[in-house]
mmCIF file of all heavy atoms in Angstrom:
data_model
loop_
_atom_site.group_PDB
_atom_site.id
_atom_site.type_symbol
_atom_site.label_atom_id
_atom_site.label_comp_id
_atom_site.label_asym_id
_atom_site.label_seq_id
_atom_site.Cartn_x
_atom_site.Cartn_y
_atom_site.Cartn_z
ATOM 1 N N ALA A 14 4.118 0.565 -7.562
ATOM 2 C CA ALA A 14 3.912 1.917 -7.031
ATOM 3 C C ALA A 14 3.286 2.824 -8.089
ATOM 4 O O ALA A 14 2.387 3.617 -7.790
ATOM 5 C CB ALA A 14 5.233 2.493 -6.537
ATOM 6 N N ARG A 15 3.758 2.700 -9.324
ATOM 7 C CA ARG A 15 3.189 3.519 -10.396
ATOM 8 C C ARG A 15 1.710 3.174 -10.618
ATOM 9 O O ARG A 15 0.863 4.073 -10.767
ATOM 10 C CB ARG A 15 3.987 3.303 -11.684
ATOM 11 C CG ARG A 15 3.460 4.099 -12.881
ATOM 12 C CD ARG A 15 4.305 3.886 -14.122
ATOM 13 N NE ARG A 15 4.484 2.493 -14.474
ATOM 14 C CZ ARG A 15 3.561 1.744 -15.077
ATOM 15 N NH1 ARG A 15 2.363 2.259 -15.368
ATOM 16 N NH2 ARG A 15 3.802 0.485 -15.386
ATOM 17 N N LEU A 16 1.388 1.885 -10.602
ATOM 18 C CA LEU A 16 -0.006 1.476 -10.788
ATOM 19 C C LEU A 16 -0.880 1.896 -9.610
ATOM 20 O O LEU A 16 -2.049 2.265 -9.795
ATOM 21 C CB LEU A 16 -0.075 -0.039 -11.004
ATOM 22 C CG LEU A 16 0.506 -0.522 -12.340
ATOM 23 C CD1 LEU A 16 0.651 -2.044 -12.342
ATOM 24 C CD2 LEU A 16 -0.359 -0.062 -13.507
ATOM 25 N N MET A 17 -0.328 1.870 -8.405
ATOM 26 C CA MET A 17 -1.080 2.342 -7.246
ATOM 27 C C MET A 17 -1.408 3.822 -7.380
ATOM 28 O O MET A 17 -2.478 4.277 -6.943
ATOM 29 C CB MET A 17 -0.305 2.060 -5.959
ATOM 30 C CG MET A 17 -0.361 0.597 -5.540
ATOM 31 S SD MET A 17 0.838 0.153 -4.256
ATOM 32 C CE MET A 17 0.343 1.222 -2.910
ATOM 33 N N THR A 18 -0.523 4.584 -7.985
ATOM 34 C CA THR A 18 -0.808 6.004 -8.251
ATOM 35 C C THR A 18 -1.891 6.132 -9.311
ATOM 36 O O THR A 18 -2.853 6.899 -9.142
ATOM 37 C CB THR A 18 0.476 6.728 -8.689
ATOM 38 O OG1 THR A 18 1.435 6.653 -7.625
ATOM 39 C CG2 THR A 18 0.199 8.190 -9.021
ATOM 40 N N GLU A 19 -1.765 5.366 -10.393
ATOM 41 C CA GLU A 19 -2.751 5.423 -11.479
ATOM 42 C C GLU A 19 -4.150 5.072 -10.982
ATOM 43 O O GLU A 19 -5.141 5.667 -11.414
ATOM 44 C CB GLU A 19 -2.368 4.451 -12.604
ATOM 45 C CG GLU A 19 -1.329 4.990 -13.551
ATOM 46 C CD GLU A 19 -1.072 4.030 -14.707
ATOM 47 O OE1 GLU A 19 -2.003 3.291 -15.119
ATOM 48 O OE2 GLU A 19 0.079 4.020 -15.185
ATOM 49 N N TYR A 20 -4.245 4.095 -10.079
ATOM 50 C CA TYR A 20 -5.545 3.636 -9.582
ATOM 51 C C TYR A 20 -5.947 4.322 -8.275
ATOM 52 O O TYR A 20 -6.932 3.925 -7.645
ATOM 53 C CB TYR A 20 -5.534 2.116 -9.391
ATOM 54 C CG TYR A 20 -5.546 1.349 -10.693
ATOM 55 C CD1 TYR A 20 -4.356 0.990 -11.311
ATOM 56 C CD2 TYR A 20 -6.740 1.012 -11.318
ATOM 57 C CE1 TYR A 20 -4.350 0.297 -12.521
ATOM 58 C CE2 TYR A 20 -6.754 0.313 -12.517
ATOM 59 C CZ TYR A 20 -5.556 -0.038 -13.111
ATOM 60 O OH TYR A 20 -5.563 -0.716 -14.300
ATOM 61 N N ALA A 21 -5.186 5.364 -7.893
ATOM 62 C CA ALA A 21 -5.498 6.173 -6.695
ATOM 63 C C ALA A 21 -5.699 5.304 -5.459
ATOM 64 O O ALA A 21 -6.698 5.426 -4.737
ATOM 65 C CB ALA A 21 -6.738 7.045 -6.950
ATOM 66 N N LEU A 22 -4.731 4.435 -5.173
ATOM 67 C CA LEU A 22 -4.872 3.480 -4.077
ATOM 68 C C LEU A 22 -4.086 3.844 -2.816
ATOM 69 O O LEU A 22 -4.306 3.227 -1.766
ATOM 70 C CB LEU A 22 -4.419 2.087 -4.540
ATOM 71 C CG LEU A 22 -5.441 1.309 -5.376
ATOM 72 C CD1 LEU A 22 -4.792 0.096 -6.011
ATOM 73 C CD2 LEU A 22 -6.627 0.900 -4.522
ATOM 74 N N TRP A 23 -3.181 4.811 -2.885
ATOM 75 C CA TRP A 23 -2.328 5.094 -1.730
ATOM 76 C C TRP A 23 -3.139 5.435 -0.479
ATOM 77 O O TRP A 23 -2.978 4.809 0.564
ATOM 78 C CB TRP A 23 -1.340 6.226 -2.042
ATOM 79 C CG TRP A 23 -0.298 5.852 -3.050
ATOM 80 C CD1 TRP A 23 -0.293 6.156 -4.377
ATOM 81 C CD2 TRP A 23 0.879 5.071 -2.815
ATOM 82 N NE1 TRP A 23 0.808 5.616 -4.988
ATOM 83 C CE2 TRP A 23 1.552 4.957 -4.055
ATOM 84 C CE3 TRP A 23 1.433 4.458 -1.686
ATOM 85 C CZ2 TRP A 23 2.757 4.255 -4.182
ATOM 86 C CZ3 TRP A 23 2.625 3.769 -1.822
ATOM 87 C CH2 TRP A 23 3.274 3.673 -3.053
ATOM 88 N N GLU A 24 -3.998 6.424 -0.572
ATOM 89 C CA GLU A 24 -4.762 6.840 0.613
ATOM 90 C C GLU A 24 -5.804 5.805 1.025
ATOM 91 O O GLU A 24 -5.986 5.559 2.226
ATOM 92 C CB GLU A 24 -5.387 8.222 0.406
ATOM 93 C CG GLU A 24 -4.355 9.346 0.408
ATOM 94 C CD GLU A 24 -3.361 9.251 1.577
ATOM 95 O OE1 GLU A 24 -3.800 9.038 2.731
ATOM 96 O OE2 GLU A 24 -2.148 9.361 1.339
ATOM 97 N N PRO A 25 -6.522 5.168 0.088
ATOM 98 C CA PRO A 25 -7.439 4.102 0.506
ATOM 99 C C PRO A 25 -6.740 2.958 1.248
ATOM 100 O O PRO A 25 -7.312 2.398 2.190
ATOM 101 C CB PRO A 25 -8.050 3.622 -0.813
ATOM 102 C CG PRO A 25 -8.001 4.826 -1.700
ATOM 103 C CD PRO A 25 -6.722 5.519 -1.333
ATOM 104 N N LEU A 26 -5.518 2.613 0.870
ATOM 105 C CA LEU A 26 -4.796 1.551 1.581
ATOM 106 C C LEU A 26 -4.414 1.997 2.985
ATOM 107 O O LEU A 26 -4.522 1.227 3.947
ATOM 108 C CB LEU A 26 -3.550 1.133 0.803
ATOM 109 C CG LEU A 26 -3.811 0.312 -0.465
ATOM 110 C CD1 LEU A 26 -2.513 0.066 -1.225
ATOM 111 C CD2 LEU A 26 -4.476 -1.015 -0.121
ATOM 112 N N ARG A 27 -3.985 3.250 3.123
ATOM 113 C CA ARG A 27 -3.676 3.768 4.470
ATOM 114 C C ARG A 27 -4.946 3.805 5.325
ATOM 115 O O ARG A 27 -4.922 3.475 6.510
ATOM 116 C CB ARG A 27 -3.051 5.158 4.365
ATOM 117 C CG ARG A 27 -1.633 5.146 3.797
ATOM 118 C CD ARG A 27 -1.001 6.535 3.856
ATOM 119 N NE ARG A 27 0.330 6.515 3.264
ATOM 120 C CZ ARG A 27 0.635 7.003 2.061
ATOM 121 N NH1 ARG A 27 -0.306 7.568 1.321
ATOM 122 N NH2 ARG A 27 1.870 6.943 1.607
ATOM 123 N N ALA A 28 -6.055 4.183 4.712
ATOM 124 C CA ALA A 28 -7.327 4.250 5.440
ATOM 125 C C ALA A 28 -7.799 2.854 5.835
ATOM 126 O O ALA A 28 -8.345 2.659 6.930
ATOM 127 C CB ALA A 28 -8.391 4.951 4.587
ATOM 128 N N PHE A 29 -7.586 1.867 4.966
ATOM 129 C CA PHE A 29 -7.938 0.482 5.280
ATOM 130 C C PHE A 29 -7.186 0.017 6.522
ATOM 131 O O PHE A 29 -7.770 -0.579 7.431
ATOM 132 C CB PHE A 29 -7.606 -0.411 4.078
ATOM 133 C CG PHE A 29 -7.759 -1.885 4.339
ATOM 134 C CD1 PHE A 29 -9.019 -2.466 4.384
ATOM 135 C CD2 PHE A 29 -6.649 -2.696 4.529
ATOM 136 C CE1 PHE A 29 -9.170 -3.824 4.625
ATOM 137 C CE2 PHE A 29 -6.784 -4.054 4.769
ATOM 138 C CZ PHE A 29 -8.047 -4.614 4.817
ATOM 139 N N HIS A 30 -5.917 0.316 6.592
ATOM 140 C CA HIS A 30 -5.126 -0.042 7.762
ATOM 141 C C HIS A 30 -5.608 0.719 8.993
ATOM 142 O O HIS A 30 -5.743 0.141 10.071
ATOM 143 C CB HIS A 30 -3.644 0.239 7.504
ATOM 144 C CG HIS A 30 -2.782 -0.011 8.691
ATOM 145 N ND1 HIS A 30 -2.290 1.019 9.467
ATOM 146 C CD2 HIS A 30 -2.356 -1.159 9.261
ATOM 147 C CE1 HIS A 30 -1.584 0.502 10.465
ATOM 148 N NE2 HIS A 30 -1.599 -0.811 10.361
ATOM 149 N N ALA A 31 -5.889 1.993 8.839
ATOM 150 C CA ALA A 31 -6.303 2.824 9.979
ATOM 151 C C ALA A 31 -7.608 2.338 10.597
ATOM 152 O O ALA A 31 -7.804 2.469 11.815
ATOM 153 C CB ALA A 31 -6.437 4.278 9.539
ATOM 154 N N ARG A 32 -8.491 1.752 9.786
ATOM 155 C CA ARG A 32 -9.767 1.282 10.340
ATOM 156 C C ARG A 32 -9.705 -0.173 10.791
ATOM 157 O O ARG A 32 -10.742 -0.784 11.072
ATOM 158 C CB ARG A 32 -10.904 1.529 9.356
ATOM 159 C CG ARG A 32 -10.861 0.749 8.067
ATOM 160 C CD ARG A 32 -12.088 1.047 7.200
ATOM 161 N NE ARG A 32 -12.063 0.334 5.949
ATOM 162 C CZ ARG A 32 -11.705 0.851 4.788
ATOM 163 N NH1 ARG A 32 -11.329 2.120 4.709
ATOM 164 N NH2 ARG A 32 -11.724 0.112 3.686
ATOM 165 N N GLY A 33 -8.493 -0.752 10.872
ATOM 166 C CA GLY A 33 -8.338 -2.073 11.466
ATOM 167 C C GLY A 33 -7.928 -3.180 10.536
ATOM 168 O O GLY A 33 -7.796 -4.324 10.971
ATOM 169 N N GLY A 34 -7.732 -2.883 9.255
ATOM 170 C CA GLY A 34 -7.346 -3.925 8.307
ATOM 171 C C GLY A 34 -5.928 -4.413 8.532
ATOM 172 O O GLY A 34 -5.034 -3.633 8.862
ATOM 173 N N GLN A 35 -5.747 -5.719 8.378
ATOM 174 C CA GLN A 35 -4.423 -6.335 8.459
ATOM 175 C C GLN A 35 -3.755 -6.253 7.085
ATOM 176 O O GLN A 35 -4.418 -6.435 6.061
ATOM 177 C CB GLN A 35 -4.555 -7.813 8.845
ATOM 178 C CG GLN A 35 -5.264 -8.070 10.141
ATOM 179 C CD GLN A 35 -4.310 -8.107 11.332
ATOM 180 O OE1 GLN A 35 -3.125 -8.259 11.186
ATOM 181 N NE2 GLN A 35 -4.872 -7.946 12.511
ATOM 182 N N LEU A 36 -2.440 -6.038 7.077
ATOM 183 C CA LEU A 36 -1.693 -5.978 5.821
ATOM 184 C C LEU A 36 -0.504 -6.929 5.887
ATOM 185 O O LEU A 36 0.134 -7.074 6.930
ATOM 186 C CB LEU A 36 -1.182 -4.557 5.571
ATOM 187 C CG LEU A 36 -2.238 -3.479 5.318
ATOM 188 C CD1 LEU A 36 -1.592 -2.107 5.320
ATOM 189 C CD2 LEU A 36 -2.954 -3.729 4.004
ATOM 190 N N TRP A 37 -0.206 -7.548 4.748
ATOM 191 C CA TRP A 37 0.988 -8.383 4.628
ATOM 192 C C TRP A 37 1.620 -8.098 3.279
ATOM 193 O O TRP A 37 0.967 -8.232 2.243
ATOM 194 C CB TRP A 37 0.601 -9.856 4.737
ATOM 195 C CG TRP A 37 1.744 -10.829 4.564
ATOM 196 C CD1 TRP A 37 3.078 -10.561 4.643
ATOM 197 C CD2 TRP A 37 1.625 -12.221 4.290
ATOM 198 N NE1 TRP A 37 3.803 -11.704 4.445
ATOM 199 C CE2 TRP A 37 2.933 -12.751 4.233
ATOM 200 C CE3 TRP A 37 0.540 -13.079 4.101
ATOM 201 C CZ2 TRP A 37 3.180 -14.084 3.975
ATOM 202 C CZ3 TRP A 37 0.797 -14.407 3.861
ATOM 203 C CH2 TRP A 37 2.098 -14.905 3.804
ATOM 204 N N GLY A 38 2.882 -7.706 3.304
ATOM 205 C CA GLY A 38 3.628 -7.479 2.083
ATOM 206 C C GLY A 38 4.713 -8.521 1.923
ATOM 207 O O GLY A 38 5.465 -8.789 2.861
ATOM 208 N N THR A 39 4.796 -9.137 0.740
ATOM 209 C CA THR A 39 5.854 -10.097 0.447
ATOM 210 C C THR A 39 6.757 -9.511 -0.630
ATOM 211 O O THR A 39 6.276 -9.064 -1.670
ATOM 212 C CB THR A 39 5.292 -11.455 -0.013
ATOM 213 O OG1 THR A 39 4.571 -11.294 -1.230
ATOM 214 C CG2 THR A 39 4.371 -12.055 1.033
ATOM 215 N N CYS A 40 8.056 -9.496 -0.376
ATOM 216 C CA CYS A 40 9.074 -9.013 -1.299
ATOM 217 C C CYS A 40 8.746 -7.578 -1.754
ATOM 218 O O CYS A 40 8.883 -6.650 -0.964
ATOM 219 C CB CYS A 40 9.252 -9.978 -2.472
ATOM 220 S SG CYS A 40 10.805 -9.757 -3.358
ATOM 221 N N ALA A 41 8.291 -7.363 -2.972
ATOM 222 C CA ALA A 41 7.950 -6.011 -3.416
ATOM 223 C C ALA A 41 6.876 -5.388 -2.527
ATOM 224 O O ALA A 41 6.903 -4.187 -2.245
ATOM 225 C CB ALA A 41 7.475 -6.027 -4.872
ATOM 226 N N GLY A 42 5.926 -6.212 -2.074
ATOM 227 C CA GLY A 42 4.883 -5.702 -1.179
ATOM 228 C C GLY A 42 5.457 -5.206 0.135
ATOM 229 O O GLY A 42 4.976 -4.227 0.701
ATOM 230 N N ALA A 43 6.514 -5.880 0.618
ATOM 231 C CA ALA A 43 7.184 -5.426 1.845
ATOM 232 C C ALA A 43 7.844 -4.076 1.633
ATOM 233 O O ALA A 43 7.820 -3.212 2.511
ATOM 234 C CB ALA A 43 8.217 -6.466 2.285
ATOM 235 N N ILE A 44 8.420 -3.873 0.468
ATOM 236 C CA ILE A 44 9.029 -2.582 0.126
ATOM 237 C C ILE A 44 7.967 -1.485 0.169
ATOM 238 O O ILE A 44 8.185 -0.404 0.723
ATOM 239 C CB ILE A 44 9.693 -2.653 -1.262
ATOM 240 C CG1 ILE A 44 10.906 -3.599 -1.224
ATOM 241 C CG2 ILE A 44 10.114 -1.261 -1.750
ATOM 242 C CD1 ILE A 44 11.492 -3.935 -2.588
ATOM 243 N N LEU A 45 6.794 -1.770 -0.384
ATOM 244 C CA LEU A 45 5.728 -0.763 -0.448
ATOM 245 C C LEU A 45 5.151 -0.413 0.919
ATOM 246 O O LEU A 45 4.618 0.679 1.106
ATOM 247 C CB LEU A 45 4.613 -1.246 -1.378
ATOM 248 C CG LEU A 45 5.011 -1.329 -2.856
ATOM 249 C CD1 LEU A 45 3.936 -2.041 -3.647
ATOM 250 C CD2 LEU A 45 5.286 0.050 -3.430
ATOM 251 N N LEU A 46 5.264 -1.310 1.895
ATOM 252 C CA LEU A 46 4.754 -1.029 3.242
ATOM 253 C C LEU A 46 5.731 -0.212 4.085
ATOM 254 O O LEU A 46 5.342 0.395 5.074
ATOM 255 C CB LEU A 46 4.460 -2.348 3.972
ATOM 256 C CG LEU A 46 3.242 -3.137 3.502
ATOM 257 C CD1 LEU A 46 3.215 -4.501 4.177
ATOM 258 C CD2 LEU A 46 1.957 -2.379 3.778
ATOM 259 N N SER A 47 6.987 -0.206 3.715
ATOM 260 C CA SER A 47 8.064 0.314 4.560
ATOM 261 C C SER A 47 8.052 1.828 4.711
ATOM 262 O O SER A 47 7.501 2.557 3.888
ATOM 263 C CB SER A 47 9.408 -0.127 3.981
ATOM 264 O OG SER A 47 9.482 -1.532 3.968
ATOM 265 N N GLY A 48 8.729 2.262 5.794
ATOM 266 C CA GLY A 48 8.847 3.692 6.055
ATOM 267 C C GLY A 48 9.872 4.376 5.177
ATOM 268 O O GLY A 48 9.720 5.532 4.800
ATOM 269 N N GLU A 49 10.939 3.650 4.825
ATOM 270 C CA GLU A 49 12.008 4.215 3.996
ATOM 271 C C GLU A 49 12.546 3.132 3.078
ATOM 272 O O GLU A 49 12.690 1.987 3.488
ATOM 273 C CB GLU A 49 13.130 4.751 4.886
ATOM 274 C CG GLU A 49 14.264 5.395 4.116
ATOM 275 C CD GLU A 49 15.425 5.836 5.003
ATOM 276 O OE1 GLU A 49 15.402 5.543 6.218
ATOM 277 O OE2 GLU A 49 16.358 6.442 4.465
ATOM 278 N N VAL A 50 12.832 3.505 1.831
ATOM 279 C CA VAL A 50 13.324 2.560 0.830
ATOM 280 C C VAL A 50 14.694 3.018 0.350
ATOM 281 O O VAL A 50 14.861 4.169 -0.055
ATOM 282 C CB VAL A 50 12.362 2.459 -0.373
ATOM 283 C CG1 VAL A 50 12.878 1.449 -1.396
ATOM 284 C CG2 VAL A 50 10.956 2.094 0.083
#
């Protein structure tokens, strides 16, 4: 999460999903996709 902030990836990842991209999170990746942690 800290690196995603450093590399400014939060909004681009949401935009990727919004335009039809598929996402899969495993373990930590699943945590990052979730609505609440």
Side-chain angles (χ1 to χ4, degrees):
R15 179 178 54 77
L16 291 169
M17 284 167 61
T18 299
E19 279 185 31
Y20 288 90
L22 281 168
W23 292 100
E24 289 313 313
L26 287 175
R27 289 186 182 105
F29 173 76
H30 176 257
R32 66 178 179 260
Q35 302 270 342
L36 294 171
W37 177 17
T39 63
C40 198
I44 293 170
L45 292 170
L46 288 172
S47 299
E49 182 184 6
V50 181

